[in-house]
PDB file of all heavy atoms in Angstrom:
ATOM      1  N   ALA A  98       0.311  -2.710  -5.411  1.00  0.00           N
ATOM      2  CA  ALA A  98       1.348  -2.611  -4.417  1.00  0.00           C
ATOM      3  C   ALA A  98       1.744  -4.078  -3.887  1.00  0.00           C
ATOM      4  O   ALA A  98       0.855  -4.863  -3.855  1.00  0.00           O
ATOM      5  CB  ALA A  98       0.957  -1.719  -3.311  1.00  0.00           C
ATOM      6  N   THR A  99       3.072  -4.188  -3.581  1.00  0.00           N
ATOM      7  CA  THR A  99       3.488  -5.464  -3.007  1.00  0.00           C
ATOM      8  C   THR A  99       4.398  -5.226  -1.859  1.00  0.00           C
ATOM      9  O   THR A  99       4.983  -4.179  -1.717  1.00  0.00           O
ATOM     10  CB  THR A  99       4.341  -6.255  -4.065  1.00  0.00           C
ATOM     11  OG1 THR A  99       5.477  -5.524  -4.434  1.00  0.00           O
ATOM     12  CG2 THR A  99       3.523  -6.636  -5.305  1.00  0.00           C
ATOM     13  N   ILE A 100       4.387  -6.176  -0.941  1.00  0.00           N
ATOM     14  CA  ILE A 100       5.310  -6.160   0.243  1.00  0.00           C
ATOM     15  C   ILE A 100       5.785  -7.481   0.453  1.00  0.00           C
ATOM     16  O   ILE A 100       5.061  -8.480   0.484  1.00  0.00           O
ATOM     17  CB  ILE A 100       4.549  -5.504   1.374  1.00  0.00           C
ATOM     18  CG1 ILE A 100       5.612  -5.373   2.528  1.00  0.00           C
ATOM     19  CG2 ILE A 100       3.374  -6.347   1.925  1.00  0.00           C
ATOM     20  CD1 ILE A 100       5.167  -4.415   3.753  1.00  0.00           C
ATOM     21  N   THR A 101       7.214  -7.644   0.607  1.00  0.00           N
ATOM     22  CA  THR A 101       7.770  -8.919   0.815  1.00  0.00           C
ATOM     23  C   THR A 101       7.962  -9.187   2.329  1.00  0.00           C
ATOM     24  O   THR A 101       7.650  -8.368   3.092  1.00  0.00           O
ATOM     25  CB  THR A 101       9.187  -9.031   0.211  1.00  0.00           C
ATOM     26  OG1 THR A 101      10.030  -8.058   0.919  1.00  0.00           O
ATOM     27  CG2 THR A 101       9.123  -8.519  -1.344  1.00  0.00           C
ATOM     28  N   SER A 102       8.315 -10.352   2.631  1.00  0.00           N
ATOM     29  CA  SER A 102       8.443 -10.800   4.017  1.00  0.00           C
ATOM     30  C   SER A 102       9.544  -9.958   4.687  1.00  0.00           C
ATOM     31  O   SER A 102       9.625  -9.749   5.900  1.00  0.00           O
ATOM     32  CB  SER A 102       8.826 -12.286   4.114  1.00  0.00           C
ATOM     33  OG  SER A 102      10.006 -12.513   3.409  1.00  0.00           O
ATOM     34  N   GLY A 103      10.485  -9.398   3.831  1.00  0.00           N
ATOM     35  CA  GLY A 103      11.466  -8.619   4.362  1.00  0.00           C
ATOM     36  C   GLY A 103      11.186  -7.140   4.455  1.00  0.00           C
ATOM     37  O   GLY A 103      12.032  -6.260   4.882  1.00  0.00           O
ATOM     38  N   GLY A 104       9.934  -6.755   4.004  1.00  0.00           N
ATOM     39  CA  GLY A 104       9.499  -5.479   4.191  1.00  0.00           C
ATOM     40  C   GLY A 104       9.621  -4.497   2.945  1.00  0.00           C
ATOM     41  O   GLY A 104       9.357  -3.359   2.868  1.00  0.00           O
ATOM     42  N   SER A 105      10.140  -5.078   1.828  1.00  0.00           N
ATOM     43  CA  SER A 105      10.447  -4.385   0.646  1.00  0.00           C
ATOM     44  C   SER A 105       9.076  -4.083  -0.045  1.00  0.00           C
ATOM     45  O   SER A 105       8.313  -5.035  -0.121  1.00  0.00           O
ATOM     46  CB  SER A 105      11.478  -5.080  -0.332  1.00  0.00           C
ATOM     47  OG  SER A 105      11.582  -4.358  -1.497  1.00  0.00           O
ATOM     48  N   THR A 106       8.892  -2.908  -0.547  1.00  0.00           N
ATOM     49  CA  THR A 106       7.578  -2.519  -1.207  1.00  0.00           C
ATOM     50  C   THR A 106       7.793  -2.179  -2.599  1.00  0.00           C
ATOM     51  O   THR A 106       8.860  -1.526  -2.962  1.00  0.00           O
ATOM     52  CB  THR A 106       6.810  -1.421  -0.359  1.00  0.00           C
ATOM     53  OG1 THR A 106       7.749  -0.261  -0.318  1.00  0.00           O
ATOM     54  CG2 THR A 106       6.534  -1.961   1.018  1.00  0.00           C
ATOM     55  N   ASN A 107       6.815  -2.158  -3.446  1.00  0.00           N
ATOM     56  CA  ASN A 107       6.707  -1.682  -4.727  1.00  0.00           C
ATOM     57  C   ASN A 107       5.312  -1.201  -5.055  1.00  0.00           C
ATOM     58  O   ASN A 107       4.405  -1.718  -4.508  1.00  0.00           O
ATOM     59  CB  ASN A 107       7.111  -2.809  -5.819  1.00  0.00           C
ATOM     60  CG  ASN A 107       8.644  -2.898  -6.030  1.00  0.00           C
ATOM     61  OD1 ASN A 107       9.309  -1.899  -6.355  1.00  0.00           O
ATOM     62  ND2 ASN A 107       9.093  -4.078  -5.775  1.00  0.00           N
ATOM     63  N   TYR A 108       5.179  -0.218  -5.949  1.00  0.00           N
ATOM     64  CA  TYR A 108       3.822   0.442  -6.339  1.00  0.00           C
ATOM     65  C   TYR A 108       3.846   0.707  -7.741  1.00  0.00           C
ATOM     66  O   TYR A 108       4.843   1.011  -8.315  1.00  0.00           O
ATOM     67  CB  TYR A 108       3.739   1.778  -5.544  1.00  0.00           C
ATOM     68  CG  TYR A 108       3.847   1.644  -4.070  1.00  0.00           C
ATOM     69  CD1 TYR A 108       4.950   1.870  -3.367  1.00  0.00           C
ATOM     70  CD2 TYR A 108       2.666   1.404  -3.222  1.00  0.00           C
ATOM     71  CE1 TYR A 108       5.086   1.736  -2.060  1.00  0.00           C
ATOM     72  CE2 TYR A 108       2.640   1.377  -1.945  1.00  0.00           C
ATOM     73  CZ  TYR A 108       3.953   1.590  -1.355  1.00  0.00           C
ATOM     74  OH  TYR A 108       3.909   1.438   0.146  1.00  0.00           O
ATOM     75  N   VAL A 109       2.636   0.601  -8.333  1.00  0.00           N
ATOM     76  CA  VAL A 109       2.422   1.020  -9.612  1.00  0.00           C
ATOM     77  C   VAL A 109       2.588   2.564  -9.635  1.00  0.00           C
ATOM     78  O   VAL A 109       2.260   3.263  -8.692  1.00  0.00           O
ATOM     79  CB  VAL A 109       0.997   0.546 -10.189  1.00  0.00           C
ATOM     80  CG1 VAL A 109      -0.093   1.252  -9.340  1.00  0.00           C
ATOM     81  CG2 VAL A 109       0.925   0.731 -11.682  1.00  0.00           C
ATOM     82  N   ASP A 110       3.026   3.029 -10.752  1.00  0.00           N
ATOM     83  CA  ASP A 110       3.419   4.452 -10.843  1.00  0.00           C
ATOM     84  C   ASP A 110       2.233   5.481 -10.515  1.00  0.00           C
ATOM     85  O   ASP A 110       2.356   6.378  -9.896  1.00  0.00           O
ATOM     86  CB  ASP A 110       3.843   4.862 -12.311  1.00  0.00           C
ATOM     87  CG  ASP A 110       5.269   4.329 -12.584  1.00  0.00           C
ATOM     88  OD1 ASP A 110       5.957   3.974 -11.573  1.00  0.00           O
ATOM     89  OD2 ASP A 110       5.643   4.362 -13.660  1.00  0.00           O
ATOM     90  N   SER A 111       0.940   4.994 -10.872  1.00  0.00           N
ATOM     91  CA  SER A 111      -0.120   5.972 -10.693  1.00  0.00           C
ATOM     92  C   SER A 111      -0.505   6.158  -9.229  1.00  0.00           C
ATOM     93  O   SER A 111      -1.289   7.006  -8.946  1.00  0.00           O
ATOM     94  CB  SER A 111      -1.351   5.245 -11.416  1.00  0.00           C
ATOM     95  OG  SER A 111      -1.666   3.983 -10.998  1.00  0.00           O
ATOM     96  N   VAL A 112       0.083   5.311  -8.337  1.00  0.00           N
ATOM     97  CA  VAL A 112      -0.319   5.532  -6.912  1.00  0.00           C
ATOM     98  C   VAL A 112       0.777   5.881  -6.051  1.00  0.00           C
ATOM     99  O   VAL A 112       0.663   6.103  -4.855  1.00  0.00           O
ATOM    100  CB  VAL A 112      -1.024   4.248  -6.318  1.00  0.00           C
ATOM    101  CG1 VAL A 112      -2.157   3.690  -7.188  1.00  0.00           C
ATOM    102  CG2 VAL A 112       0.087   3.034  -6.130  1.00  0.00           C
ATOM    103  N   LYS A 113       2.046   5.952  -6.633  1.00  0.00           N
ATOM    104  CA  LYS A 113       3.148   6.300  -5.864  1.00  0.00           C
ATOM    105  C   LYS A 113       3.051   7.685  -5.148  1.00  0.00           C
ATOM    106  O   LYS A 113       2.490   8.652  -5.813  1.00  0.00           O
ATOM    107  CB  LYS A 113       4.469   6.292  -6.763  1.00  0.00           C
ATOM    108  CG  LYS A 113       4.888   4.950  -7.153  1.00  0.00           C
ATOM    109  CD  LYS A 113       6.171   4.976  -8.063  1.00  0.00           C
ATOM    110  CE  LYS A 113       6.682   3.583  -8.317  1.00  0.00           C
ATOM    111  NZ  LYS A 113       7.838   3.647  -9.244  1.00  0.00           N
ATOM    112  N   GLY A 114       3.384   7.760  -3.891  1.00  0.00           N
ATOM    113  CA  GLY A 114       3.208   8.909  -3.106  1.00  0.00           C
ATOM    114  C   GLY A 114       1.852   9.109  -2.565  1.00  0.00           C
ATOM    115  O   GLY A 114       1.551  10.088  -1.697  1.00  0.00           O
ATOM    116  N   ARG A 115       0.931   8.333  -2.930  1.00  0.00           N
ATOM    117  CA  ARG A 115      -0.505   8.452  -2.348  1.00  0.00           C
ATOM    118  C   ARG A 115      -0.809   7.189  -1.625  1.00  0.00           C
ATOM    119  O   ARG A 115      -1.590   7.299  -0.592  1.00  0.00           O
ATOM    120  CB  ARG A 115      -1.451   8.530  -3.539  1.00  0.00           C
ATOM    121  CG  ARG A 115      -1.259   9.892  -4.406  1.00  0.00           C
ATOM    122  CD  ARG A 115      -2.415  10.133  -5.410  1.00  0.00           C
ATOM    123  NE  ARG A 115      -2.607   8.970  -6.258  1.00  0.00           N
ATOM    124  CZ  ARG A 115      -3.614   8.216  -6.431  1.00  0.00           C
ATOM    125  NH1 ARG A 115      -4.781   8.433  -5.587  1.00  0.00           N
ATOM    126  NH2 ARG A 115      -3.627   7.384  -7.457  1.00  0.00           N
ATOM    127  N   PHE A 116      -0.378   6.001  -2.069  1.00  0.00           N
ATOM    128  CA  PHE A 116      -0.783   4.772  -1.364  1.00  0.00           C
ATOM    129  C   PHE A 116       0.427   4.219  -0.502  1.00  0.00           C
ATOM    130  O   PHE A 116       1.510   4.322  -1.010  1.00  0.00           O
ATOM    131  CB  PHE A 116      -1.162   3.642  -2.349  1.00  0.00           C
ATOM    132  CG  PHE A 116      -2.611   3.891  -3.022  1.00  0.00           C
ATOM    133  CD1 PHE A 116      -3.180   5.163  -2.912  1.00  0.00           C
ATOM    134  CD2 PHE A 116      -3.132   2.994  -3.828  1.00  0.00           C
ATOM    135  CE1 PHE A 116      -4.367   5.420  -3.529  1.00  0.00           C
ATOM    136  CE2 PHE A 116      -4.355   3.147  -4.439  1.00  0.00           C
ATOM    137  CZ  PHE A 116      -4.983   4.406  -4.322  1.00  0.00           C
ATOM    138  N   THR A 117       0.165   3.543   0.511  1.00  0.00           N
ATOM    139  CA  THR A 117       1.211   2.862   1.317  1.00  0.00           C
ATOM    140  C   THR A 117       0.762   1.472   1.730  1.00  0.00           C
ATOM    141  O   THR A 117      -0.350   1.382   2.381  1.00  0.00           O
ATOM    142  CB  THR A 117       1.536   3.708   2.573  1.00  0.00           C
ATOM    143  OG1 THR A 117       1.975   5.047   2.213  1.00  0.00           O
ATOM    144  CG2 THR A 117       2.668   3.027   3.348  1.00  0.00           C
ATOM    145  N   ILE A 118       1.514   0.441   1.321  1.00  0.00           N
ATOM    146  CA  ILE A 118       1.191  -0.887   1.836  1.00  0.00           C
ATOM    147  C   ILE A 118       2.052  -1.186   2.940  1.00  0.00           C
ATOM    148  O   ILE A 118       3.167  -0.793   3.141  1.00  0.00           O
ATOM    149  CB  ILE A 118       1.432  -1.868   0.694  1.00  0.00           C
ATOM    150  CG1 ILE A 118       0.972  -3.288   1.095  1.00  0.00           C
ATOM    151  CG2 ILE A 118       2.866  -1.855   0.302  1.00  0.00           C
ATOM    152  CD1 ILE A 118       1.074  -4.319   0.004  1.00  0.00           C
ATOM    153  N   SER A 119       1.378  -1.847   4.010  1.00  0.00           N
ATOM    154  CA  SER A 119       2.223  -2.228   5.244  1.00  0.00           C
ATOM    155  C   SER A 119       1.701  -3.620   5.779  1.00  0.00           C
ATOM    156  O   SER A 119       0.607  -4.006   5.332  1.00  0.00           O
ATOM    157  CB  SER A 119       2.040  -1.241   6.248  1.00  0.00           C
ATOM    158  OG  SER A 119       0.741  -1.036   6.696  1.00  0.00           O
ATOM    159  N   ARG A 120       2.392  -4.123   6.631  1.00  0.00           N
ATOM    160  CA  ARG A 120       1.965  -5.528   7.184  1.00  0.00           C
ATOM    161  C   ARG A 120       2.204  -5.519   8.714  1.00  0.00           C
ATOM    162  O   ARG A 120       3.179  -4.902   9.121  1.00  0.00           O
ATOM    163  CB  ARG A 120       2.610  -6.736   6.515  1.00  0.00           C
ATOM    164  CG  ARG A 120       4.117  -6.761   6.596  1.00  0.00           C
ATOM    165  CD  ARG A 120       4.744  -7.732   5.609  1.00  0.00           C
ATOM    166  NE  ARG A 120       4.394  -9.053   5.889  1.00  0.00           N
ATOM    167  CZ  ARG A 120       4.612 -10.036   5.018  1.00  0.00           C
ATOM    168  NH1 ARG A 120       5.197  -9.718   3.863  1.00  0.00           N
ATOM    169  NH2 ARG A 120       4.216 -11.255   5.277  1.00  0.00           N
ATOM    170  N   ASP A 121       1.275  -6.189   9.358  1.00  0.00           N
ATOM    171  CA  ASP A 121       1.454  -6.291  10.897  1.00  0.00           C
ATOM    172  C   ASP A 121       1.422  -7.860  11.097  1.00  0.00           C
ATOM    173  O   ASP A 121       0.453  -8.523  11.096  1.00  0.00           O
ATOM    174  CB  ASP A 121       0.318  -5.606  11.719  1.00  0.00           C
ATOM    175  CG  ASP A 121       0.461  -5.709  13.103  1.00  0.00           C
ATOM    176  OD1 ASP A 121       1.194  -6.569  13.612  1.00  0.00           O
ATOM    177  OD2 ASP A 121       0.000  -4.869  13.870  1.00  0.00           O
ATOM    178  N   ASN A 122       2.682  -8.437  11.220  1.00  0.00           N
ATOM    179  CA  ASN A 122       2.722  -9.868  11.385  1.00  0.00           C
ATOM    180  C   ASN A 122       2.060 -10.386  12.575  1.00  0.00           C
ATOM    181  O   ASN A 122       1.473 -11.501  12.591  1.00  0.00           O
ATOM    182  CB  ASN A 122       4.196 -10.337  11.348  1.00  0.00           C
ATOM    183  CG  ASN A 122       4.882 -10.116   9.932  1.00  0.00           C
ATOM    184  OD1 ASN A 122       4.310  -9.937   8.940  1.00  0.00           O
ATOM    185  ND2 ASN A 122       6.156 -10.028  10.031  1.00  0.00           N
ATOM    186  N   ALA A 123       2.098  -9.631  13.581  1.00  0.00           N
ATOM    187  CA  ALA A 123       1.453 -10.071  14.891  1.00  0.00           C
ATOM    188  C   ALA A 123      -0.041 -10.247  14.738  1.00  0.00           C
ATOM    189  O   ALA A 123      -0.667 -11.015  15.410  1.00  0.00           O
ATOM    190  CB  ALA A 123       1.782  -9.149  15.990  1.00  0.00           C
ATOM    191  N   LYS A 124      -0.674  -9.490  13.856  1.00  0.00           N
ATOM    192  CA  LYS A 124      -2.096  -9.382  13.624  1.00  0.00           C
ATOM    193  C   LYS A 124      -2.452 -10.195  12.386  1.00  0.00           C
ATOM    194  O   LYS A 124      -3.703 -10.250  12.065  1.00  0.00           O
ATOM    195  CB  LYS A 124      -2.671  -8.069  13.630  1.00  0.00           C
ATOM    196  CG  LYS A 124      -2.504  -7.225  14.884  1.00  0.00           C
ATOM    197  CD  LYS A 124      -3.164  -5.830  14.713  1.00  0.00           C
ATOM    198  CE  LYS A 124      -3.038  -5.050  16.093  1.00  0.00           C
ATOM    199  NZ  LYS A 124      -3.565  -3.861  15.978  1.00  0.00           N
ATOM    200  N   ASN A 125      -1.468 -10.732  11.677  1.00  0.00           N
ATOM    201  CA  ASN A 125      -1.683 -11.457  10.314  1.00  0.00           C
ATOM    202  C   ASN A 125      -2.599 -10.491   9.420  1.00  0.00           C
ATOM    203  O   ASN A 125      -3.374 -11.128   8.770  1.00  0.00           O
ATOM    204  CB  ASN A 125      -2.319 -12.762  10.717  1.00  0.00           C
ATOM    205  CG  ASN A 125      -1.455 -13.773  11.370  1.00  0.00           C
ATOM    206  OD1 ASN A 125      -0.279 -13.762  11.244  1.00  0.00           O
ATOM    207  ND2 ASN A 125      -2.117 -14.562  12.195  1.00  0.00           N
ATOM    208  N   THR A 126      -2.207  -9.353   9.341  1.00  0.00           N
ATOM    209  CA  THR A 126      -2.951  -8.411   8.535  1.00  0.00           C
ATOM    210  C   THR A 126      -2.049  -7.461   7.674  1.00  0.00           C
ATOM    211  O   THR A 126      -0.966  -7.132   8.158  1.00  0.00           O
ATOM    212  CB  THR A 126      -3.823  -7.396   9.375  1.00  0.00           C
ATOM    213  OG1 THR A 126      -4.626  -8.277  10.249  1.00  0.00           O
ATOM    214  CG2 THR A 126      -4.624  -6.602   8.657  1.00  0.00           C
ATOM    215  N   VAL A 127      -2.466  -7.323   6.413  1.00  0.00           N
ATOM    216  CA  VAL A 127      -1.854  -6.331   5.467  1.00  0.00           C
ATOM    217  C   VAL A 127      -2.735  -5.161   5.311  1.00  0.00           C
ATOM    218  O   VAL A 127      -4.030  -5.315   5.196  1.00  0.00           O
ATOM    219  CB  VAL A 127      -1.523  -7.141   4.235  1.00  0.00           C
ATOM    220  CG1 VAL A 127      -0.956  -6.105   3.207  1.00  0.00           C
ATOM    221  CG2 VAL A 127      -0.546  -8.263   4.505  1.00  0.00           C
ATOM    222  N   TYR A 128      -2.324  -3.973   5.163  1.00  0.00           N
ATOM    223  CA  TYR A 128      -3.003  -2.874   5.010  1.00  0.00           C
ATOM    224  C   TYR A 128      -2.680  -2.025   3.743  1.00  0.00           C
ATOM    225  O   TYR A 128      -1.521  -2.202   3.239  1.00  0.00           O
ATOM    226  CB  TYR A 128      -2.757  -1.836   6.151  1.00  0.00           C
ATOM    227  CG  TYR A 128      -3.081  -2.407   7.505  1.00  0.00           C
ATOM    228  CD1 TYR A 128      -2.073  -3.007   8.341  1.00  0.00           C
ATOM    229  CD2 TYR A 128      -4.431  -2.319   8.059  1.00  0.00           C
ATOM    230  CE1 TYR A 128      -2.390  -3.513   9.590  1.00  0.00           C
ATOM    231  CE2 TYR A 128      -4.689  -2.990   9.260  1.00  0.00           C
ATOM    232  CZ  TYR A 128      -3.675  -3.458  10.038  1.00  0.00           C
ATOM    233  OH  TYR A 128      -3.948  -3.922  11.273  1.00  0.00           O
ATOM    234  N   LEU A 129      -3.554  -1.394   3.193  1.00  0.00           N
ATOM    235  CA  LEU A 129      -3.334  -0.457   2.096  1.00  0.00           C
ATOM    236  C   LEU A 129      -3.956   0.991   2.495  1.00  0.00           C
ATOM    237  O   LEU A 129      -5.203   1.056   2.485  1.00  0.00           O
ATOM    238  CB  LEU A 129      -3.850  -0.967   0.748  1.00  0.00           C
ATOM    239  CG  LEU A 129      -3.485  -0.068  -0.408  1.00  0.00           C
ATOM    240  CD1 LEU A 129      -2.068  -0.192  -0.771  1.00  0.00           C
ATOM    241  CD2 LEU A 129      -4.334  -0.402  -1.547  1.00  0.00           C
ATOM    242  N   GLN A 130      -3.084   1.829   2.876  1.00  0.00           N
ATOM    243  CA  GLN A 130      -3.569   3.211   3.137  1.00  0.00           C
ATOM    244  C   GLN A 130      -3.627   3.979   1.847  1.00  0.00           C
ATOM    245  O   GLN A 130      -2.497   4.121   1.098  1.00  0.00           O
ATOM    246  CB  GLN A 130      -2.520   3.915   4.198  1.00  0.00           C
ATOM    247  CG  GLN A 130      -3.020   5.413   4.543  1.00  0.00           C
ATOM    248  CD  GLN A 130      -4.186   5.463   5.271  1.00  0.00           C
ATOM    249  OE1 GLN A 130      -4.442   4.657   6.228  1.00  0.00           O
ATOM    250  NE2 GLN A 130      -5.140   6.355   4.876  1.00  0.00           N
ATOM    251  N   MET A 131      -4.762   4.495   1.637  1.00  0.00           N
ATOM    252  CA  MET A 131      -5.029   5.224   0.458  1.00  0.00           C
ATOM    253  C   MET A 131      -5.391   6.730   0.653  1.00  0.00           C
ATOM    254  O   MET A 131      -6.380   6.972   1.208  1.00  0.00           O
ATOM    255  CB  MET A 131      -6.053   4.542  -0.518  1.00  0.00           C
ATOM    256  CG  MET A 131      -5.813   3.136  -0.803  1.00  0.00           C
ATOM    257  SD  MET A 131      -7.080   2.387  -1.863  1.00  0.00           S
ATOM    258  CE  MET A 131      -8.531   2.521  -0.845  1.00  0.00           C
ATOM    259  N   ASN A 132      -4.508   7.556   0.266  1.00  0.00           N
ATOM    260  CA  ASN A 132      -4.679   9.044   0.362  1.00  0.00           C
ATOM    261  C   ASN A 132      -4.787   9.776  -0.979  1.00  0.00           C
ATOM    262  O   ASN A 132      -4.456   9.235  -2.013  1.00  0.00           O
ATOM    263  CB  ASN A 132      -3.469   9.660   1.196  1.00  0.00           C
ATOM    264  CG  ASN A 132      -3.391   9.078   2.530  1.00  0.00           C
ATOM    265  OD1 ASN A 132      -4.369   8.675   3.168  1.00  0.00           O
ATOM    266  ND2 ASN A 132      -2.078   8.995   3.029  1.00  0.00           N
ATOM    267  N   SER A 133      -5.366  10.939  -0.923  1.00  0.00           N
ATOM    268  CA  SER A 133      -5.578  11.738  -2.052  1.00  0.00           C
ATOM    269  C   SER A 133      -6.259  10.936  -3.180  1.00  0.00           C
ATOM    270  O   SER A 133      -5.759  10.924  -4.326  1.00  0.00           O
ATOM    271  CB  SER A 133      -4.207  12.273  -2.546  1.00  0.00           C
ATOM    272  OG  SER A 133      -3.597  13.035  -1.510  1.00  0.00           O
ATOM    273  N   LEU A 134      -7.353  10.330  -2.803  1.00  0.00           N
ATOM    274  CA  LEU A 134      -7.996   9.391  -3.763  1.00  0.00           C
ATOM    275  C   LEU A 134      -8.624  10.178  -4.945  1.00  0.00           C
ATOM    276  O   LEU A 134      -8.971  11.335  -4.793  1.00  0.00           O
ATOM    277  CB  LEU A 134      -9.099   8.638  -3.112  1.00  0.00           C
ATOM    278  CG  LEU A 134      -8.534   7.421  -2.299  1.00  0.00           C
ATOM    279  CD1 LEU A 134      -9.642   6.968  -1.228  1.00  0.00           C
ATOM    280  CD2 LEU A 134      -8.183   6.259  -3.054  1.00  0.00           C
ATOM    281  N   LYS A 135      -8.474   9.529  -6.154  1.00  0.00           N
ATOM    282  CA  LYS A 135      -9.036  10.094  -7.345  1.00  0.00           C
ATOM    283  C   LYS A 135     -10.098   9.159  -7.937  1.00  0.00           C
ATOM    284  O   LYS A 135     -10.153   8.004  -7.644  1.00  0.00           O
ATOM    285  CB  LYS A 135      -7.862  10.200  -8.407  1.00  0.00           C
ATOM    286  CG  LYS A 135      -6.646  10.997  -7.903  1.00  0.00           C
ATOM    287  CD  LYS A 135      -5.623  10.890  -8.880  1.00  0.00           C
ATOM    288  CE  LYS A 135      -4.286  11.737  -8.562  1.00  0.00           C
ATOM    289  NZ  LYS A 135      -3.236  11.653  -9.579  1.00  0.00           N
ATOM    290  N   PRO A 136     -11.049   9.752  -8.800  1.00  0.00           N
ATOM    291  CA  PRO A 136     -11.991   8.887  -9.322  1.00  0.00           C
ATOM    292  C   PRO A 136     -11.476   7.719 -10.083  1.00  0.00           C
ATOM    293  O   PRO A 136     -12.090   6.626 -10.127  1.00  0.00           O
ATOM    294  CB  PRO A 136     -12.744   9.827 -10.370  1.00  0.00           C
ATOM    295  CG  PRO A 136     -12.601  11.171  -9.636  1.00  0.00           C
ATOM    296  CD  PRO A 136     -11.331  11.147  -9.030  1.00  0.00           C
ATOM    297  N   GLU A 137     -10.297   7.858 -10.701  1.00  0.00           N
ATOM    298  CA  GLU A 137      -9.743   6.722 -11.442  1.00  0.00           C
ATOM    299  C   GLU A 137      -9.179   5.549 -10.563  1.00  0.00           C
ATOM    300  O   GLU A 137      -8.794   4.512 -10.937  1.00  0.00           O
ATOM    301  CB  GLU A 137      -8.615   7.239 -12.334  1.00  0.00           C
ATOM    302  CG  GLU A 137      -7.594   8.077 -11.638  1.00  0.00           C
ATOM    303  CD  GLU A 137      -7.886   9.576 -11.975  1.00  0.00           C
ATOM    304  OE1 GLU A 137      -9.106  10.011 -11.756  1.00  0.00           O
ATOM    305  OE2 GLU A 137      -6.979  10.357 -12.208  1.00  0.00           O
ATOM    306  N   ASP A 138      -9.184   5.823  -9.278  1.00  0.00           N
ATOM    307  CA  ASP A 138      -8.871   4.774  -8.383  1.00  0.00           C
ATOM    308  C   ASP A 138     -10.050   3.772  -8.017  1.00  0.00           C
ATOM    309  O   ASP A 138      -9.878   2.782  -7.336  1.00  0.00           O
ATOM    310  CB  ASP A 138      -8.445   5.313  -6.937  1.00  0.00           C
ATOM    311  CG  ASP A 138      -7.128   6.042  -7.014  1.00  0.00           C
ATOM    312  OD1 ASP A 138      -6.232   5.587  -7.759  1.00  0.00           O
ATOM    313  OD2 ASP A 138      -7.072   7.155  -6.416  1.00  0.00           O
TER     314      ASP A 138
END
């Protein structure tokens, strides 16, 4: 997954709908929320 300074995101097909990338500029932190995890993850 990628996230630009403008907030645009992209995901590999295998994680679309399950993973979410986000950023909190105030905390200088990027997150990856992973739901419905599979063994192949």
Side-chain angles (χ1 to χ4, degrees):
T99 62
I100 185 165
T101 68
S102 58
S105 178
T106 60
N107 275 304
Y108 301 90
V109 67
D110 286 345
S111 61
V112 309
K113 287 181 178 177
R115 301 188 297 119
F116 290 11
T117 302
I118 187 172
S119 62
R120 62 195 297 166
D121 186 336
N122 291 338
K124 296 181 178 180
N125 294 327
T126 301
V127 177
Y128 304 96
L129 185 67
Q130 179 66 46
M131 306 185 294
N132 299 325
S133 301
L134 283 162
K135 305 174 180 179
E137 50 262 46
D138 295 318

